[in-house]
Amino acid sequence: MTCVNHEVCMRAQLVPLDGGAPVEVVKDLTLVGRKEECDLRLDHKSVSKMHCVIVKTDGLLLLRDLGSTNGTRVNGQRVRRAALMPNDELTIAGFKFRIHFGQGAAELGGKADPHEHTQRMNADEVVHLLKKVHPVEPPQPVVATPRPMKPNHLPDVYPAEESKA
């Protein structure tokens, strides 16, 4: 079955842990930051002007930190990019959210399957998952020659921070 209306197929919410109103992730690409142009504006000096981006794509919620000063964390681990799973805790600077999927997920009390948890993924794993969701179609003729992409040599997760004694 192909989903025509993606908002019905996958409803994603960021539920503030401080008890505020849930934030619906409606757009396929949500820019989070302090700038007025951001889709999710967190107006606090600890949040970078363009802090991170959340990408919603057929059953997956992907996060990418945009080089923020105070970082983005998933379940306490500072990350550059991550796949978000139900009930994960997302921290953007000092703002903490719980991830919920599905219709009325927040009203269910955030009960997650004990076997569901966030896993670190490299780019190849994400591509593999996306190919499962969107099978590869026959190649289309290329009109313009794209520039070669350069690999990102930065790890997805920051190295363990040494304790400051």
Side-chain angles (χ1 to χ4, degrees):
M1 179 177 131
T2 303
C3 178
V4 176
N5 185 348
H6 295 289
E7 292 178 34
V8 173
C9 292
M10 184 180 113
R11 180 177 178 196
Q13 292 180 321
L14 305 180
V15 180
L17 295 184
D18 68 2
V23 177
E24 293 283 335
V25 180
V26 178
K27 297 171 75 176
D28 288 340
L29 192 142
T30 302
L31 181 60
V32 181
R34 201 174 70 234
K35 285 181 86 170
E36 286 188 32
E37 297 82 20
C38 290
D39 301 303
L40 173 54
R41 187 166 181 242
L42 301 174
D43 192 15
H44 190 272
K45 62 183 178 181
S46 65
V47 178
S48 294
K49 289 178 184 173
M50 294 196 321
H51 198 97
C52 64
V53 65
I54 298 171
V55 178
K56 184 169 76 166
T57 175
D58 295 328
L60 291 175
L61 202 59
L62 306 174
L63 174 125
R64 176 72 184 227
D65 185 88
L66 298 174
S68 64
T69 301
N70 291 314
T72 305
R73 295 178 182 272
V74 176
N75 298 326
Q77 174 70 53
R78 188 169 177 173
V79 296
R80 287 188 177 97
R81 60 182 168 227
L84 300 172
M85 299 295 291
N87 222 28
D88 276 349
E89 183 178 299
L90 170 63
T91 306
I92 300 170
F95 293 85
K96 293 186 178 191
F97 301 91
R98 181 81 53 206
I99 305 299
H100 288 285
F101 291 107
Q103 188 67 29
E107 293 85 36
L108 298 176
K111 303 289 188 221
D113 183 325
H115 301 290
E116 287 184 346
H117 61 281
T118 295
Q119 297 177 342
R120 288 185 223 152
M121 302 174 73
N122 65 34
D124 293 335
E125 291 170 320
V126 173
V127 168
H128 178 73
L129 279 175
L130 290 174
K131 283 182 180 175
K132 283 184 176 179
V133 175
H134 296 289
V136 177
E137 296 178 9
Q140 300 296 319
V142 177
V143 175
T145 304
R147 294 186 296 159
M149 294 187 66
K150 296 180 182 176
N152 180 1
H153 296 289
L154 296 173
D156 291 343
V157 177
Y158 285 80
E161 296 175 326
E162 297 180 26
S163 61
K164 297 177 176 115

